[in-house]
DNA sequence: CGGGATCCCAAAAGATACTG
DNA sequence: CAGTATCTTTTGGGATCCCG
């Protein structure tokens, strides 16, 4: 992922206009990006709000992921020059076009999160219905 | 990613039933997984077929990604015991439920692959319509 | 043909400390 | 509050050789 930053210059020629699925995953496929976009879908968020929502993420990773999303034009970063500082993140119109995908991923996740786990905990075939 | 293999035992308690988006990304978010699933959507594939379709992937990565998809119950691995060996990969019914997501990602990718690139090449705001 | 095993390097990510 | 900088650890992933 993240390997198109320079603008495809590094690809020989094979996958210049690579698989569109790959392109999409490159935008939302980062470990936290989907979640960040997801939470931005119901409104503007601040830096420490994200840290509260995603307890697992470190501030460094949060910064990096937000920066990449910003570079990709998915989110907007609004800085208020005041003390204490205030920065608000929001989806750009472009970022909002990702909404349907994120929503579908949420629905699928809700649907199969439990079923998949039960399936995984059964190493062999079972007659317990999934 | 991939950190739920043991069945959530490693999570303290916070995100046991984590964000469903995160769950979904965990299944399809690997570097090549989306593409592999995508190509399996139009039929069974063999190992070296994938290597031809995705020239960038090494056999090691291909093996690993296929194994993970298999462990997640997304794909089925059919081994024909013969010489030369033959192994066919296909989507399980479970894996096919991912179809709509992959399709949406493909459509989005096709739609924005070009536009996004033009946007990225413009460091400042422009009146060239995206 | 379809991998497995091993080695090794590079990139990703965590921890900690510091700052405008 | 919202980060940066630096360091260390972990992981990803390429190269190579081998096997059934």
């Amino acid at each position: 992922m993240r390997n198109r930053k320079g603008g495809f210059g590094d690809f020989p020629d094979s996958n210049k206009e690579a698989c569109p699925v790959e392109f999409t995953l490159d935008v939302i496929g980062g470990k936290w990006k989907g979640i960040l976009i997801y939470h931005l879908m119901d409104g503007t968020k601040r830096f420490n709000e994200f840290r509260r929502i995603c307890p697992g993420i470190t501030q460094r990773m949060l910064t990096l992921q937000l920066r990449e999303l910003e570079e990709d034009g998915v989110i907007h970063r609004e800085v208020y020059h005041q003390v204490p500082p205030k920065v608000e993140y929001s989806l750009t119109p472009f970022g909002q076009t990702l909404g349907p995908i994120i929503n579908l991923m949420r629905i699928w996740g809700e649907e199969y999160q439990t079923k998949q786990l039960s399936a995984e905990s059964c190493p062999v075939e079972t007659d317990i219905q999934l």
Side-chain angles (χ1 to χ4, degrees), chain A:
Chain A
M1 319 245 191
R2 293 279 89 216
N3 49 6
R4 79 186 187 295
K5 300 305 288 287
F8 287 142
D10 27 7
F11 289 108
D13 79 326
S14 49
N15 47 4
K16 253 204 168 67
E17 70 271 17
C19 178
V21 176
E22 191 170 355
F23 176 80
T24 305
L25 273 175
D26 207 19
V27 177
I28 62 175
K31 174 153 187 179
W32 300 95
K33 292 187 185 177
I35 293 91
L36 296 181
I37 297 172
Y38 172 51
H39 288 297
L40 280 176
M41 285 171 62
D42 55 75
T44 290
K45 294 278 177 301
R46 297 181 58 175
F47 192 81
N48 280 344
E49 279 190 84
F50 280 124
R51 299 189 62 184
R52 256 170 270 127
I53 300 173
C54 319
I57 196 170
T58 62
Q59 89 254 88
R60 183 177 177 275
M61 283 314 297
L62 180 54
T63 302
L64 290 176
Q65 300 274 291
L66 287 171
R67 287 294 185 280
E68 290 190 356
L69 287 172
E70 191 187 359
E71 286 173 25
D72 283 340
V74 173
I75 66 175
H76 170 69
R77 181 167 176 266
E78 183 74 29
V79 183
Y80 297 85
H81 288 288
Q82 58 186 45
V83 273
K86 177 180 171 184
V87 178
E88 285 187 341
Y89 294 92
S90 57
L91 284 182
T92 63
F94 174 64
Q96 293 183 12
T97 65
L98 287 163
I101 299 181
I102 303 288
N103 258 322
L104 208 51
M105 297 204 311
R106 177 182 56 77
I107 292 172
W108 188 92
E110 288 171 351
E111 176 82 14
Y112 291 102
Q113 204 158 17
T114 3
K115 304 184 183 179
Q116 171 72 353
L117 286 174
S118 355
E120 274 189 3
S121 56
C122 300
V124 292
E125 283 68 36
T126 171
D127 42 26
I128 300 173
Q129 75 290 352
L130 300 183

